[in-house]
Amino acid sequence: ASNKSHNQDLKYIIPLTVTGEGQTFILFAIWANNAQDPEGRYIQQVWKAIHYYEKLLKQPIILTGDFNSNTIWDKPRREGNHTAVVNQLAKRNIHSIYHQQYQQEQGKEAHPTFYLQRKKEKPYHIDYCFASQSFCERLSSIQVGEYEEWIGLSDHMPLILRFNTGL
């Protein structure tokens, strides 16, 4: 169900309340892109969202989708760059499941999630699933879609995660 607190200024970052299997959590569906906010596009949208929705971040939570960002593009003096978002979430014990499971460093990912202009020689990692520690502990599998299997459908590769229900 769509969360009543959705901020229309962050229109492509949507908090959803998910209930089932004896649990409730907040799922943020993210497409970090807002042409109406030229000074705050891409990762700045996520930065604004984690501050606006600060109270929701105390609940079990998953933030997932196209962040349109990576540490490799950090602008050092810009508040709310990719590294700042990762650090703010980490303070709340919310982590990138991909980076935890594959023991990868931000900016040095071995598995691309996006191919610019659908070209295999232009790979980037810009899609993420950040989650509360309780989800990280219940992960049963994670997989990044393969170029050959998915490029005909999208320039983005899916992150496929499975969790144990914990019941």
Side-chain angles (χ1 to χ4, degrees), residues 66-79:
D66 179 359
F67 283 51
N68 267 315
S69 182
N70 189 294
T71 295
I72 62 172
W73 297 309
D74 277 357
K75 291 189 170 68
R77 290 185 189 83
R78 174 171 277 185
E79 182 186 39

Side-chain angles (χ1 to χ4, degrees), residues 74-132:
D74 277 357
K75 291 189 170 68
R77 290 185 189 83
R78 174 171 277 185
E79 182 186 39
N81 63 24
H82 187 87
T83 298
V85 167
V86 170
N87 291 341
Q88 279 294 321
L89 292 171
K91 285 180 188 174
R92 292 163 176 81
N93 212 13
I94 300 168
H95 303 283
S96 166
I97 294 179
Y98 167 85
H99 290 84
Q100 268 194 352
Q101 290 302 306
Y102 285 105
Q103 298 178 343
Q104 298 284 296
E105 218 177 293
Q106 292 283 339
K108 297 182 179 175
E109 296 84 1
H111 305 87
T113 64
F114 174 72
Y115 293 89
L116 185 62
Q117 301 163 336
R118 294 186 186 234
K119 294 182 178 173
K120 198 167 188 179
E121 63 275 10
K122 294 184 178 184
Y124 298 97
H125 191 103
I126 64 172
D127 303 277
Y128 302 88
C129 180
F130 284 84
S132 303

Side-chain angles (χ1 to χ4, degrees), residues 1-11 13-17 26-28 48-57 59 61:
S2 183
N3 195 293
K4 293 179 187 79
S5 65
H6 181 225
N7 179 346
Q8 292 300 314
D9 292 335
L10 303 167
K11 63 182 179 176
I13 299 179
I14 303 169
L16 303 165
T17 302
I26 303 296
L27 171 71
F28 278 91
K48 290 177 179 183
I50 63 177
H51 287 86
Y52 180 83
Y53 295 114
E54 192 168 4
K55 288 187 175 102
L56 293 179
L57 299 181
Q59 303 177 47
I61 194 161

